[in-house]
């Protein structure tokens, strides 16, 4: 409608708003998913110390840092358009590698613990029940992570193959 009515200012502001919003929200969702994978790994490795290390205050701080980082990274486009793709490619790579390593460590540890419990024979039913609940929670988080990556994959390929362009001035 704006193009038909020659309202180019509206087109510019709409494109700019969509650009900023999409980059911030995509970054936040990917980093939050990565933080969840690291949290699940910490829960497994720290066990009883988990509640002392992962506090509500630190969780709030992590969420705030993720949002601020994503806003600053996206805003860097206006200072130098070359910086944002660097943030994007580095951030996505580090995020995916961190998640993959976290989930690999979790499933290897769970598998090893299951073999050790099986070797010990009949132990209290409380331990396998907690491990079962934990395994279900980790599996759900992993499926969310995989779904997120699958949904972003077509967009990522498109962005990687499209030559960069500046937003209209």
């Amino acid at each position: 409608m704006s193009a038909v009515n020659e309202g180019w200012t509206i087109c510019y502001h709409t494109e700019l708003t969509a650009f900023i919003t999409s980059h911030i929200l995509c970054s936040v969702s990917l980093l939050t998913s990565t933080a969840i994978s690291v949290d699940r790994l910490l829960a497994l490795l720290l066990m009883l110390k988990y509640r002392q290390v992962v506090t509500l205050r630190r969780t709030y701080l992590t969420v705030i840092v993720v949002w601020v980082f994503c806003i600053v990274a996206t805003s860097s486009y206006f200072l130098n358009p070359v910086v944002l793709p660097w943030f994007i490619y580095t951030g996505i790579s580090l995020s995916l590698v961190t998640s993959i390593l976290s989930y690999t460590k979790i499933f290897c540890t769970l598998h090893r613990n299951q073999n050790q419990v099986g070797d010990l024979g009949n132990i209290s039913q409380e331990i396998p029940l907690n491990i079962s609940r934990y395994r279900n929670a980790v599996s759900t988080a992993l499926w969310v992570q995989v779904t997120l990556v699958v949904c972003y994959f077509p967009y990522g390929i498109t962005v990687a193959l499209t030559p960069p362009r500046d937003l209209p001035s």
Side-chain angles (χ1 to χ4, degrees):
M1 295 291 290
S2 295
V4 170
N5 296 324
E6 295 185 13
W8 300 116
T9 310
I10 294 173
C11 289
Y12 167 75
H13 291 298
T14 303
E15 185 178 2
L16 184 62
T17 302
F19 175 81
I20 293 169
T21 305
S22 65
H23 279 81
I24 290 173
L25 294 179
C26 289
S27 302
V28 167
S29 62
L30 187 61
L31 289 178
T32 300
S33 181
T34 301
I36 290 170
S37 68
V38 171
D39 176 69
R40 296 295 79 209
L41 179 62
L42 288 174
L44 180 64
L45 296 178
L46 296 176
M47 292 192 190
L48 297 175
K49 293 180 183 180
Y50 173 77
R51 290 182 186 239
Q52 296 168 344
V53 174
V54 181
T55 62
L56 191 56
R57 183 175 181 199
R58 288 181 181 160
T59 303
Y60 286 147
L61 181 64
T62 302
V63 170
I64 290 169
V65 166
V66 164
W67 275 94
V68 168
F69 175 77
C70 293
I71 290 169
V72 168
T74 301
S75 299
S76 70
Y77 176 83
F78 299 107
L79 297 174
N80 186 353
V82 176
V83 174
L84 183 59
W86 183 84
F87 270 124
I88 291 171
Y89 297 132
T90 305
I92 289 172
S93 300
L94 288 175
S95 183
L96 291 177
V97 167
T98 301
S99 293
I100 289 168
L101 291 176
S102 294
Y103 285 120
T104 301
K105 176 73 174 168
I106 288 169
F107 284 110
C108 288
T109 303
L110 285 176
H111 183 71
R112 186 180 30 160
N113 287 348
Q114 183 178 5
N115 288 341
Q116 288 176 351
V117 169
D119 292 344
L120 292 176
N122 208 358
I123 307 179
S124 167
Q125 286 295 342
E126 183 178 331
I127 294 172
L129 180 63
N130 288 338
I131 290 175
S132 175
R133 275 182 44 199
Y134 178 79
R135 187 182 303 259
N136 287 339
V138 168
S139 294
T140 301
L142 178 60
W143 277 111
V144 169
Q145 177 87 22
V146 168
T147 303
L148 185 69
V149 169
V150 166
C151 289
Y152 285 156
F153 193 71
Y155 176 72
I157 294 297
T158 304
V159 168
L161 296 177
T162 304
R165 68 180 182 90
D166 289 333
L167 288 173
S169 302

